[in-house]
Amino acid sequence: MGLEWEQLVIDAADPVALGSWWREALGWVVVNDSSEEYEIRPEPDRLPGLLFGTAPEGKTVKNRLHLDFRPDDRDAEVERLLALGARHTDVGQRRDEPWVVLADPEGNEFCVLGERPGG
C-alpha cells in the first residue's frame, strides 16, 4: 500500500492573501487560485503543496504543527521574510537557539533553522 503526501492544509481568514504571501516567501507557483482553496507547490507537478482554506475562527494558540526551513544564510533569510511581513514570535524558545521563530501575516509560527550541525 502506497501513501503519498499531497499537501499541508492551512486554515486562513484570507486564503488568497496568506497563500500569496507564502508563494512569495517560498518562490513557489500557484496551482489553484480559488478564493476558498488557494494552493501553491514548488513546481506545478511537484508535491507536497500548501493548500490555504477558509476558516471562520481566528488563530488563538500556538500551532500544533509548524514548518521548519533551512536556508543557506539564516540571518539574511530572516531579514528577507521580515521585510515581506513576517514577525518575530515567542513560543518559549531560549535566546541561544540556533533557529529563529517567526509568524506569517496571520500568526502561524514557522522556524528558520541555522546551519546543519557538521555542515
Side-chain angles (χ1 to χ4, degrees):
M1 179 165 138
L3 188 63
E4 183 176 20
W5 178 15
E6 175 82 14
Q7 61 207 8
L8 176 67
V9 179
I10 300 170
D11 290 344
D14 185 341
V16 173
L18 189 59
S20 295
W21 186 88
W22 277 102
R23 183 207 51 76
E24 186 172 353
L26 296 172
W28 288 11
V29 298
V30 177
V31 295
N32 181 1
D33 63 359
S34 162
S35 62
E36 294 180 6
E37 287 191 344
Y38 188 93
E39 185 179 359
I40 62 173
R41 293 184 187 170
E43 297 170 12
D45 296 324
R46 187 169 151 213
L47 298 174
L50 297 176
L51 179 93
F52 300 86
T54 57
E57 68 284 341
K59 182 179 176 307
T60 58
V61 297
K62 178 180 172 278
N63 292 10
R64 297 286 305 261
L65 174 73
H66 72 263
L67 301 171
D68 284 349
F69 300 99
R70 190 172 304 276
D72 293 332
D73 181 332
R74 184 198 69 189
D75 295 339
E77 192 61 26
V78 166
E79 289 306 312
R80 185 184 75 83
L81 292 165
L82 291 170
L84 288 176
R87 60 182 166 76
H88 287 278
T89 192
D90 183 356
V91 294
Q93 69 272 25
R94 298 185 322 250
R95 294 177 58 100
D96 62 344
E97 299 291 4
W99 61 83
V100 176
V101 183
L102 299 177
D104 69 18
E106 288 200 15
N108 299 298
E109 299 94 1
F110 63 97
C111 294
V112 182
L113 307 175
E115 183 178 315
R116 189 174 303 281

